[in-house]
Amino acid sequence: MTFRFRDIMKYHFNDIEAKWQKYWADNKTFKAVNNSNKPKYYVLDMFPYPSGAGLHVGHPLGYIASDIYARYKRHKGFNVLHPQGFDSFGLPAEQYAIQTGQHPAITTEANIKTYRRQLDQIGFSYDWSREVRTSDPNYYKWTQWIFIQLFESWYNLENDKAEAISDLIKRFSSEGNTNVNAICDDNVEMFSAENWNNFSSEKQQQILLQYRLTYLAETEVNWCPALGTVLANDEIVNGVSERGGHPVIRKKMTQWSMRISAYAERLLQGLETIDWPDSLKESQRNWIGKSVGAQVEFRVQSSEFRVSVFTTRPDTIFGASFMTLAPEHELVSKITTPEQKQEVDAYTEATTKRSERDRMADVKTISGVFTGAYAEHPFTKKPIPIWIGDYVLAGYGTGAVMSVPCGDQRDYDFAKHFGIDIPNIFEGVDISEEAFADKDNSIIANSDFINGMNYKKATKRVIYELEQIGQGEGKINYRLRDAVFSRQRYWGEPFPVYYVNGMPQMIDAKHLPIKLPEVEKYLPTETGEPPLGNATVWAWDAKKCAVVSNKLADDANEIYPLELNTMPGWAGSSQYFNRYMDPHNSEEIFSKEAINYWQQVDLYIGGSEHATGHLLYSRFWQKFMFDKGLVPHDEFAKKLINQGMILGTSALLFVFREMSSKGYDVKDTDLPDADDLNKIIVSGGFYDKYLEYNNLYDRYLNSKEEFKKFMIEKDISEEDWKPHKNFLDLLQNEIYNVNKKGRFIFDDDSFQTLEENIFKSNDLRVDLKHLDEITSDFVKISSFIKDTKYKEFKNAIFLNDEGQKVEDDLIKSKREVEKMSKSKYNVVSPDAICEQYGADSLRMYEMFLGPLEQAKPWNTAGITGVHSFLKKLWKLYFDDNGLKVNDAEPSKDNLKTLHKTIKKVEDDIKNFSFNTSVSTFMIAANELTAQKCTSKEILEPLLIVISPYAPHIAEELWSKLGHNTSISTASFPIFDASHLVESSKNYPISFNGKMRFTIELPLDMSKEDIEKAVLAHEKTQAQLQGREPKKVIVVPGKIVNIVS
RNA sequence: GCUGAAGUGGUGGAAUUGGUAGACACGUUGGACUUAAAAUCCAAUGGCCUGUAAGGCCGUGCGGGUUCAAGUCCCGCCUUCAGUACCA
């Protein structure tokens, strides 16, 4: 009996947390309503992709911060919307489906369940009744709906907004397109009203596609052969795919695109109106890449063609001594002379075959060829040779440049390399070594009508003159490209599209959602169609249409093919924040009432990695929806904060491995995935061979024939690589070929070395747990590596630097702090933390680690600090005899501690400085414990202050103090400054700026009296040692400084 | 190369307008309690010097400067991290 009584008085966080989590769920404590007398506040987290690995401690960091903010706002009397959901379409589930046949919906559902359990155990105050999942047909119905709206819109530059395509059609049929000022395809042809009305329906549709905000066009796309799909620019990192790290090549394909470029200027201007991190805004500015200059047209001699270039330096036009076109430029084949044709063809072919990564890896090499053609300088009429070179990018500007070697380093290098003229057009500048690119300090010379002018004046004049002769105009160019919107994948939103005579048609919105059909296989069809081509039945509630196989049949039983691509990952995340406002509405994307009530997100917290993806696309969709009158703001989030990454500590073992006949065994590594292979390459110590491998892999993917040729060139006979089932063998051959150090041939069970053994050092990342287990015992380490962890080292012999066998202590270990990832064995799961210390400890510790925005290493050991704080807090309320809180009158010190805490915590929350709040709580608990405070008047409001951070313990103690409703809406205590007023100050007394001692003096003492008191003090006299003070500075309430 | 952020004890980090540098924790050391461990509590903890104490000297990446006073402001460098990269 006694035991049980004592037991109740202890802080049993597991029971307490489970109890309150259930209470919140049962009572729908955090359900937000769409109208209220209270002011509204919308706090949003970036919703997670539910991966199979579950959450690690880095994931909840931002969620905890936003939860604290949401809970704080509730205490301050706001009606808070704090929803959560899942970005549940995506590649990993599909890759898993390809490997296992498991339907992605099943994997996704299971993963969501795990995520939900993990999130629930941390005690977030989400309104789960508003959960959205991007893969739910009731949700993606509206993603499809927005797609239709975009298709039915064009961008009118006269009003600077998106408008209905039906209006455009009216204008075309009454006035043609010559006076229409719209954002459209560069190559759109000009026509009159009469032309338009005589065009065939297909021709009209083709033209309209050039205006629509989402359109189908043949564009040069980033094709990832390994993933079998196209990728958007933001899905490529360092020239390889973001997911999986596969090579990417350029390819022309017919794809859906989003005309985000129409919004380039507004996306740029809008940044001024939102409170987002500067670094993130800067990323978006760079991505949009606005540059002001001129477009200039050069006539090609003895032909009808004109080469159009974009330049930011029209003032240097007289220095143009050649032109350079991108190898992909459409004029290349048209203007090349017969004599140069062979050389040009060889060059263009070679460039198109290079992957992005190759091109990037090899920036320094200057290459190019002369086309044989000449352009005519618009002013001097002198002939200018036209070259092609891969330093000119097809995707930027017009894909052609006027090359001014004296003013641009790349042009300079190119000219030097090929011996082209470098005329100097700058006054008093030496260009014998390098180009002079400083536009702000240049005076133009040798340039006819702009001689003696500076950059600004000359630019203006040149543009004027170009306009006079009709060969150019001022122009603003953006780097931002239209975003490719289709993917050749299964697990994504189907398009609401079918084709009539090859022209895309929207399926009527009343048939939405177009549900994702079932397929047998998640791979492309044998004819190379996307996975949806495998579908035999498309089920949707069609009134007039029936679906026959992959085709749509209308009343008259004509059959039309359906769009088989799916939408990219960012489609579903581009407006989810609005859908949360009215998530179950089946009639509208959201009701007018809901959007007018919630308006926009007040606080959005998430990772900076979405800077040029999700966050840019979402702003684009929001602006479009604003134009259509659907939303009241053209920016969706007022304030945004990027939480920093939590880094894990990896354990590295350094071993030296002998590669011998009994050594490196990689037999059963089947490698369809470059990601896996890269890992082995890197951990195998072949860092230097990484690139070679990639070339090889690219070659293989590009063309097996070409690969074969390459291998033969490298003197590796077909016999050597043909029997091998995977790329690793090829790699081995490549290594052999490159460094001649060793050769490894698959021989059923092991590799054989034909030449000398080679030694390589390896850093193997191991599970920290295991590292502790094996510590310095060599036998254990070696058996751990060979048997437990790394099968490929099964037969390895460990050597030290000198090549001797390692007997006991030569395997070194090291710790490294890096991004948490499964493959690095440095992941810490929140589950174990919650189990051992509780959710409140986890929440507090994550905040305590450091500033929210900053990257910081995780160290589980440190959690004892906040955990013992919570125990100490508990003890303020309970001792062995039970609840000790009473109605005692609070002391002055008690009140001072409480109000100091209220003030500091409130300021901290406003500044998102959550780490310092935790310190403040610790100080408060330490002080109140020392003061032996038992006063309810202090301890009750203290709980509300702590509640956003540690809601479970706060709820429990709150109820123990006699409340029978949740603490979550209790009013935040009002700070009363009068409790902090001091009557005296412990003045620091410094001598020549160095603090020596302190003196306690009344705060109302005058400057003169302070000076007298300080100078009279014995310690002052000791410091001065008889010297006369030269100057005494007294800052009342702050400091005294004596200069001697 | 360009852009942005940051460099403070053994570690994470504090110091809101220039005014006691190192709050709060972790770790370490010593002690109490305990058969023992865990848990808990107490004390010390930037470096160096003086036997201790009192005290002193040096200390916020480096070099200068402004100021009575600089982690904080100014100038010049170095390093690290992140983003971006032939953008005409």
Side-chain angles (χ1 to χ4, degrees):
Chain A
M1 187 68 194
T2 319
F3 175 75
R4 275 196 62 196
F5 181 71
R6 285 170 63 97
D7 204 41
I8 289 165
M9 299 314 150
K10 283 209 172 143
Y11 171 43
H12 290 295
F13 50 86
N14 293 123
D15 300 343
I16 292 170
E17 289 174 359
K19 171 181 158 189
W20 287 101
Q21 281 160 16
K22 184 168 188 303
Y23 175 94
W24 296 328
D26 291 349
N27 293 280
K28 299 184 171 61
T29 308
F30 305 113
K31 194 169 159 53
V33 289
N34 277 7
N35 54 66
S36 166
N37 296 331
K38 297 173 178 177
K40 70 97 194 182
Y41 201 86
Y42 184 179
V43 185
L44 182 67
D45 290 315
M46 287 186 188
F47 64 167
Y49 172 78
S51 84
L55 293 174
H56 62 62
V57 290
H59 293 117
L61 181 75
Y63 302 159
I64 295 168
S66 65
D67 196 58
I68 289 170
Y69 208 82
R71 285 174 180 272
Y72 170 72
K73 280 286 176 183
R74 285 193 200 95
H75 288 303
K76 293 299 274 186
F78 285 82
N79 180 31
V80 173
L81 175 57
H82 188 38
Q84 185 58 291
F86 297 97
D87 190 11
S88 47
F89 271 136
L91 263 176
E94 178 162 347
Q95 297 286 62
Y96 189 74
I98 292 168
Q99 283 165 25
T100 63
Q102 177 88 279
H103 196 289
I106 296 170
T107 331
T108 303
E109 179 70 38
N111 292 348
I112 286 177
K113 238 178 155 170
T114 307
Y115 265 63
R116 183 62 198 274
R117 178 186 60 74
Q118 289 189 303
L119 290 170
D120 282 348
Q121 80 185 350
I122 302 173
F124 294 120
S125 63
Y126 292 130
D127 176 358
W128 281 108
S129 73
R130 293 174 185 256
E131 175 186 342
V132 300
R133 296 181 187 185
T134 54
S135 61
D136 176 355
N138 294 325
Y139 177 85
Y140 67 67
K141 171 179 178 177
W142 299 106
T143 312
Q144 292 170 337
W145 181 81
I146 292 177
F147 177 82
I148 296 174
Q149 305 311 304
L150 284 156
F151 185 80
E152 300 295 350
S153 302
W154 63 292
Y155 200 89
N156 184 350
L157 279 169
E158 285 155 34
N159 307 331
D160 207 19
K161 63 186 264 203
E163 292 184 349
I165 205 90
S166 53
D167 295 341
L168 187 66
I169 295 172
K170 271 184 217 147
R171 280 186 70 176
F172 284 172
S173 58
S174 65
E175 52 172 297
N177 72 344
T178 40
N179 291 323
V180 173
N181 192 6
I183 302 257
C184 58
D185 197 288
D186 289 338
N187 305 319
V188 75
E189 67 177 280
M190 290 297 147
F191 52 82
S192 65
E194 202 191 340
N195 294 148
W196 172 261
N197 295 323
N198 290 328
F199 285 153
S200 68
S201 162
E202 278 75 33
K203 170 102 183 176
Q204 289 182 342
Q205 289 181 54
Q206 225 145 32
I207 289 165
L208 287 173
L209 272 179
Q210 298 182 306
Y211 286 84
R212 296 180 190 273
L213 288 183
T214 183
Y215 59 96
L216 196 61
E218 177 163 269
T219 40
E220 187 144 288
V221 295
N222 307 300
W223 174 255
C224 179
L227 293 173
T229 189
V230 301
L231 297 170
N233 285 343
D234 70 281
E235 290 167 320
I236 300 163
V237 178
N238 296 327
V240 297
S241 70
E242 189 188 15
R243 287 206 188 264
H246 307 286
V248 174
I249 57 167
R250 308 285 301 170
K251 196 174 169 182
K252 278 215 161 178
M253 285 179 76
T254 299
Q255 295 289 309
W256 284 101
S257 288
M258 287 274 163
R259 213 178 290 281
I260 188 174
S261 59
Y263 285 87
E265 186 61 32
R266 282 169 65 190
L267 287 168
L268 195 62
Q269 296 308 323
L271 291 172
E272 307 301 325
T273 68
I274 47 181
D275 183 8
W276 288 21
D278 289 336
S279 60
L280 194 149
K281 289 190 190 178
E282 199 55 32
S283 293
Q284 292 207 347
R285 280 189 202 106
N286 290 338
W287 194 261
I288 295 166
K290 179 180 184 174
S291 42
V292 181
Q295 186 141 331
V296 187
E297 287 194 353
F298 286 73
R299 287 200 177 89
V300 180
Q301 281 191 336
S302 52
S303 87
E304 284 305 296
F305 298 117
R306 286 170 165 225
V307 180
S308 186
V309 302
F310 173 75
T311 177
T312 53
R313 295 293 302 277
D315 60 313
T316 63
I317 192 163
F318 288 92
S321 60
F322 61 104
M323 302 188 75
T324 317
L325 308 186
E328 298 92 337
H329 198 282
E330 54 166 8
L331 282 180
V332 170
S333 57
K334 294 174 183 159
I335 59 169
T336 302
T337 58
E339 304 81 66
Q340 294 298 107
K341 189 173 185 321
Q342 203 185 348
E343 214 182 322
V344 168
D345 284 352
Y347 185 72
T348 31
E349 214 191 308
T351 4
T352 42
K353 287 216 173 118
R354 296 177 79 191
S355 71
E356 279 296 288
R357 198 195 168 87
D358 267 13
R359 237 170 126 154
M360 284 171 70
D362 176 38
V363 183
K364 278 151 263 155
T365 319
I366 296 166
S367 71
V369 283
F370 178 44
T371 61
Y374 289 85
E376 176 195 275
H377 192 283
F379 298 121
T380 67
K381 308 293 177 193
K382 279 189 199 155
I384 299 173
I386 303 175
W387 287 68
I388 61 176
D390 68 358
Y391 81 98
V392 177
L393 304 176
Y396 183 78
T398 60
V401 297
M402 64 172 208
S403 302
V404 183
C406 66
D408 182 288
Q409 195 57 43
R410 291 155 304 168
D411 295 344
Y412 187 92
D413 295 340
F414 195 88
K416 273 261 151 114
H417 190 258
F418 290 107
I420 306 169
D421 244 16
I422 305 180
N424 190 355
I425 50 141
F426 298 113
E427 217 171 278
V429 168
D430 174 27
I431 53 152
S432 59
E433 288 303 318
E434 55 176 6
F436 179 74
D438 183 358
K439 67 174 186 225
D440 296 321
N441 294 301
S442 65
I443 301 293
I444 305 295
N446 304 324
S447 298
D448 196 358
F449 52 83
I450 51 170
N451 281 336
M453 292 184 188
N454 63 15
Y455 157 76
K456 227 174 150 180
K457 268 182 115 171
T459 297
K460 235 174 149 176
R461 178 69 190 276
V462 167
I463 290 173
Y464 172 80
E465 297 291 341
L466 283 169
E467 281 168 357
Q468 293 306 300
I469 57 168
Q471 277 189 261
E473 57 186 350
K475 205 192 166 185
I476 293 170
N477 194 56
Y478 298 93
R479 196 190 81 121
L480 184 71
R481 305 258 63 86
D482 283 347
V484 181
F485 196 66
S486 37
R487 298 288 182 275
Q488 294 68 47
R489 308 298 303 193
Y490 173 73
W491 192 231
E493 298 88 347
F495 283 82
V497 172
Y498 65 100
Y499 290 87
V500 177
N501 297 329
M503 298 311 298
Q505 314 293 326
M506 293 298 115
I507 293 173
D508 197 305
K510 70 186 172 200
H511 299 310
L512 301 183
I514 307 302
K515 285 193 186 157
L516 190 60
E518 297 299 321
V519 291
E520 291 271 319
K521 288 191 311 183
Y522 303 101
L523 288 168
T525 64
E526 276 168 23
T527 52
E529 287 178 325
L532 289 194
N534 292 316
T536 47
V537 181
W538 287 58
W540 87 76
D541 180 29
K543 289 185 186 100
K544 283 197 167 177
C545 307
V547 172
V548 186
S549 183
N550 287 327
K551 313 267 197 291
L552 181 75
D554 69 6
D555 275 356
N557 261 344
E558 278 192 77
I559 289 178
Y560 308 111
L562 293 161
E563 173 65 64
L564 298 177
N565 283 300
T566 53
M567 297 186 192
W570 54 269
S573 59
S574 294
Q575 70 86 31
Y576 75 110
F577 34 83
N578 291 326
R579 183 67 180 168
Y580 277 135
M581 297 172 183
D582 194 9
H584 307 297
N585 196 329
S586 56
E587 301 303 311
E588 296 168 279
I589 185 163
F590 37 73
S591 70
K592 276 263 167 269
E593 294 75 42
I595 190 85
N596 285 335
Y597 179 71
W598 294 109
Q599 301 273 319
Q600 66 187 139
V601 176
D602 292 288
L603 174 65
Y604 193 21
I605 297 186
S608 57
E609 66 272 20
H610 298 107
T612 51
H614 159 62
L615 290 173
L616 199 60
Y617 296 130
S618 294
R619 292 183 59 224
F620 158 45
W621 279 31
Q622 183 78 2
K623 286 183 192 301
F624 168 71
M625 289 170 83
F626 176 78
D627 287 352
K628 301 297 281 183
L630 293 162
V631 295
H633 295 278
D634 73 342
E635 290 291 347
F636 75 93
K638 250 192 221 172
K639 181 173 177 68
L640 181 132
I641 291 179
N642 291 132
Q643 88 274 21
M645 200 186 295
I646 291 191
L647 306 167
T649 309
S650 309
L652 277 65
L653 282 181
F654 289 94
V655 294
F656 294 87
R657 191 184 60 202
E658 179 188 29
M659 302 215 172
S660 69
S661 55
K662 297 273 175 278
Y664 194 30
D665 183 354
V666 278
K667 185 194 159 228
D668 50 11
T669 326
D670 190 17
L671 298 159
D673 184 358
D675 196 29
D676 284 341
L677 188 47
N678 289 346
K679 261 186 272 169
I680 285 171
I681 306 320
V682 174
S683 76
F686 291 107
Y687 242 115
D688 47 337
K689 292 295 151 260
Y690 181 69
L691 265 176
E692 269 79 8
Y693 160 66
N694 262 300
N695 292 346
L696 199 64
Y697 189 59
D698 292 354
R699 281 195 181 91
Y700 189 81
L701 290 168
N702 282 345
S703 149
K704 295 202 174 148
E705 277 310 300
E706 201 227 330
F707 174 79
K708 200 167 150 186
K709 246 164 68 191
F710 171 78
M711 293 303 270
I712 290 164
E713 260 169 47
K714 290 264 173 178
D715 202 27
I716 298 170
S717 77
E718 200 170 334
E719 297 316 305
D720 273 357
W721 60 268
K722 203 184 170 188
H724 306 149
K725 290 187 201 79
N726 59 47
F727 296 119
L728 202 64
D729 321 66
L730 310 180
L731 171 77
Q732 297 301 331
N733 283 319
E734 178 71 356
I735 289 165
Y736 166 69
N737 193 268
V738 171
N739 60 23
K740 303 281 181 198
K741 270 187 186 164
R743 186 174 201 187
F744 313 94
I745 298 175
F746 236 151
D747 185 9
D748 286 319
D749 287 309
S750 62
F751 284 100
Q752 288 179 354
T753 314
L754 297 184
E755 296 178 23
E756 259 181 276
N757 292 338
I758 56 165
F759 311 123
K760 283 282 179 183
S761 77
N762 294 271
D763 45 343
L764 300 177
R765 282 169 173 76
V766 299
D767 195 324
L768 268 170
K769 278 204 305 279
H770 288 112
L771 187 68
D772 292 342
E773 279 166 23
I774 58 186
T775 47
S776 61
D777 182 337
F778 170 69
V779 179
K780 275 194 189 162
I781 294 176
S782 102
S783 74
F784 166 76
I785 292 171
K786 290 178 182 177
D787 306 336
T788 328
K789 215 63 217 176
Y790 299 89
K791 290 203 182 75
E792 70 266 33
F793 293 100
K794 197 166 75 191
N795 300 316
I797 297 161
F798 296 101
L799 305 173
N800 65 13
D801 290 312
E802 283 79 45
Q804 265 106 42
K805 282 188 187 176
V806 174
E807 292 304 337
D808 35 27
D809 59 348
L810 286 166
I811 296 177
K812 290 170 269 182
S813 74
K814 190 189 150 190
R815 308 272 156 134
E816 198 161 283
V817 170
E818 54 192 351
K819 188 176 172 178
M820 277 195 188
S821 116
K822 225 172 142 188
S823 61
K824 290 172 185 151
Y825 303 104
N826 61 356
V827 173
V828 180
S829 157
D831 296 15
I833 308 273
C834 284
E835 174 67 30
Q836 203 182 341
Y837 300 98
D840 285 339
S841 291
L842 176 72
R843 291 170 65 106
M844 284 227 146
Y845 187 52
E846 294 229 357
M847 292 300 102
F848 187 62
L849 278 179
L852 180 61
E853 296 94 328
Q854 198 177 298
K856 54 232 160 206
W858 179 267
N859 171 22
T860 302
I863 201 170
T864 52
V866 290
H867 187 64
S868 53
F869 154 73
L870 289 173
K871 286 197 268 190
K872 200 177 273 180
L873 181 76
W874 184 266
K875 283 185 191 160
L876 270 174
Y877 296 79
F878 281 101
D879 60 18
D880 289 351
N881 304 316
L883 192 71
K884 62 177 188 181
V885 180
N886 55 31
D887 292 331
E889 196 60 26
S891 72
K892 238 181 130 179
D893 281 346
N894 293 163
L895 285 163
K896 189 175 156 189
T897 298
L898 174 68
H899 284 271
K900 196 171 72 178
T901 306
I902 295 169
K903 171 94 172 85
K904 174 79 174 128
V905 170
E906 222 167 344
D907 287 352
D908 284 346
I909 292 178
K910 281 175 193 152
N911 295 322
F912 301 94
S913 172
F914 302 111
N915 53 325
T916 49
S917 291
V918 180
S919 311
T920 305
F921 293 137
M922 291 173 171
I923 293 167
N926 290 344
E927 285 183 4
L928 292 173
T929 305
Q931 294 162 15
K932 297 195 177 5
C933 173
T934 56
S935 169
K936 191 173 177 181
E937 211 175 300
I938 301 296
L939 296 174
E940 194 171 84
L942 182 69
L943 286 177
I944 304 172
V945 183
I946 290 179
S947 146
Y949 292 78
H952 308 87
I953 194 174
E955 286 276 22
E956 179 69 13
L957 291 171
W958 183 253
S959 80
K960 288 277 193 289
L961 290 186
H963 297 272
N964 50 24
T965 53
S966 166
I967 195 175
S968 63
T969 50
S971 286
F972 205 81
I974 310 289
F975 168 65
D976 181 351
S978 69
H979 296 298
L980 302 192
V981 174
E982 302 270 1
S983 58
S984 69
K985 159 89 189 166
N986 201 18
Y987 278 95
I989 313 301
S990 45
F991 292 80
N992 299 321
K994 290 189 175 94
M995 207 282 288
R996 293 300 173 200
F997 55 89
T998 59
I999 302 178
E1000 185 90 15
L1001 292 170
L1003 264 173
D1004 54 7
M1005 206 177 206
S1006 72
K1007 246 176 139 168
E1008 291 73 27
D1009 290 343
I1010 292 172
E1011 185 171 335
K1012 270 185 222 156
V1014 169
L1015 287 177
H1017 200 274
E1018 53 175 32
K1019 281 188 175 174
T1020 307
Q1021 293 311 316
Q1023 280 294 331
L1024 288 171
Q1025 293 176 322
R1027 277 168 299 165
E1028 201 48 34
K1030 283 188 193 132
K1031 201 171 176 186
V1032 179
I1033 286 121
V1034 177
V1035 186
K1038 285 242 159 111
I1039 200 168
V1040 177
N1041 191 17
I1042 296 164
V1043 185
S1044 64

